């Protein structure tokens, strides 16, 4: 859970660098950033915001209530300490930088990261995925005869997904190094037939 909290903290600080936002807008932008597989609830967001307020990473500004709103609208802004913390987090290049829980968020804010750090994170992510790919391919070969065709298809799909991400990362790394390679397009979906 602490890891998810760290990911939310990084994402909130990155978004607030773009400008002040209220809770609803932050949640909406975070859900877009996290993707369909990891929807963020208010029950996760608001405790993270409160923790960040206590740590002086963000501040809240209450707009006065209007005739249409009964309560003042709270807007969150990043503080100087929050800016420094965000920069520290974005400069980390250890395993947490390229793990599944954290990589997507870091990647979203790569524009505010030094090229050497970007390269180390991309290379770390690619290396981790290559290790995972070798392990999954070995398991697939061992279990292919033992599993039903649907389980085998699911394993094959997993291998193809990781292979695709490794190619994408390799293209990004080459582009970062000045190779200016266009990322490999995703293969077109197979045509479906109605039998």
């Amino acid at each position: 859970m602490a890891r998810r909290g760290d990911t939310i903290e990084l994402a909130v600080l990155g978004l607030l660098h773009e400008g002040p936002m209220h809770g609803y807008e932050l949640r909406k932008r975070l859900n877009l950033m996290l993707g369909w597989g990891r929807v963020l609830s208010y029950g996760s967001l608001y405790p993270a915001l409160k923790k960040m307020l206590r740590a002086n990473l963000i501040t809240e500004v209450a707009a006065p209530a209007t005739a249409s709103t009964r309560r003042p609208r709270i807007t969150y802004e990043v503080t100087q300490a929050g800016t420094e913390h965000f920069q520290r987090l974005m400069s980390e290049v250890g395993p947490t930088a390229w793990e599944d829980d954290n990589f997507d968020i870091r990647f979203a804010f790569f524009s505010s990261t030094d090229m050497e750090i970007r390269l180390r994170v991309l290379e770390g992510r690619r290396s981790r995925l290559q290790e995972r790919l070798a392990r999954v391919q070995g398991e697939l070969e061992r279990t292919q005869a033992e599993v039903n065709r649907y389980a085998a298809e699911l394993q094959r799909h997993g291998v193809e997904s990781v292979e695709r991400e490794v190619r994408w990362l390799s293209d990004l790394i080459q582009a970062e190094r000045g190779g200016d390679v266009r990322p490999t397009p995703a293969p077109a979906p197979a045509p479906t037939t109605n039998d």
Side-chain angles (χ1 to χ4, degrees):
M1 189 63 180
R3 219 171 184 184
R4 182 168 170 85
D6 293 344
T7 300
I8 293 169
E9 183 177 287
L10 178 65
V12 167
L13 289 173
L15 287 172
L16 291 179
H17 273 87
E18 298 172 5
M21 292 183 199
H22 54 83
Y24 173 79
E25 185 178 4
L26 269 171
R27 180 176 176 261
K28 188 169 96 176
R29 295 279 306 276
L30 286 167
N31 281 331
L32 286 172
M33 187 179 293
L34 293 170
W36 66 271
R38 298 186 285 174
V39 175
L40 180 70
S41 69
Y42 287 114
S44 297
L45 175 61
Y46 282 107
L49 291 173
K50 295 298 181 196
K51 179 182 169 201
M52 293 170 71
L53 284 164
R54 285 191 304 272
N56 193 35
L57 301 175
I58 61 173
T59 185
E60 58 184 11
V61 177
T66 64
S68 62
T69 62
R70 295 181 186 172
R71 294 186 303 182
R73 189 174 192 172
I74 306 280
T75 301
Y76 298 93
E77 297 177 4
V78 67
T79 63
Q80 181 62 35
T83 297
E84 291 166 6
H85 185 64
F86 176 71
Q87 290 168 346
R88 242 185 341 272
L89 291 173
M90 290 300 290
S91 67
E92 291 176 359
V93 292
T96 58
W98 52 73
E99 291 297 333
D100 293 343
D101 292 344
N102 212 355
F103 176 76
D104 296 347
I105 299 302
R106 289 180 60 94
F107 188 80
F109 300 115
F110 258 17
S111 61
S112 61
T113 307
D114 179 69
M115 184 185 75
E116 285 301 315
I117 292 171
R118 289 193 307 264
L119 276 170
R120 288 178 63 191
V121 171
L122 290 170
E123 288 168 346
R125 175 72 175 169
R126 180 177 64 179
S127 175
R128 183 59 48 94
L129 288 176
Q130 287 169 328
E131 291 168 9
R132 185 182 302 168
L133 183 60
R135 188 177 60 250
V136 170
Q137 285 172 327
E139 290 171 7
L140 182 60
E141 290 171 8
R142 282 191 303 275
T143 62
Q144 197 116 36
E146 301 170 9
V147 297
N148 68 47
R149 72 180 186 135
Y150 297 106
E153 275 301 305
L154 185 60
Q155 287 179 331
R156 187 185 59 76
H157 171 69
V159 166
E160 289 173 356
S161 297
V162 174
E163 287 173 336
R164 190 171 33 253
E165 187 170 349
V166 167
R167 281 192 308 271
W168 174 70
L169 289 163
S170 295
D171 289 346
L172 287 170
I173 290 166
Q174 189 169 352
E176 283 287 331
R177 290 190 175 133
D180 198 32
V181 168
R182 302 262 182 233
T184 306
T192 58
T193 57
N194 293 333
D195 293 325

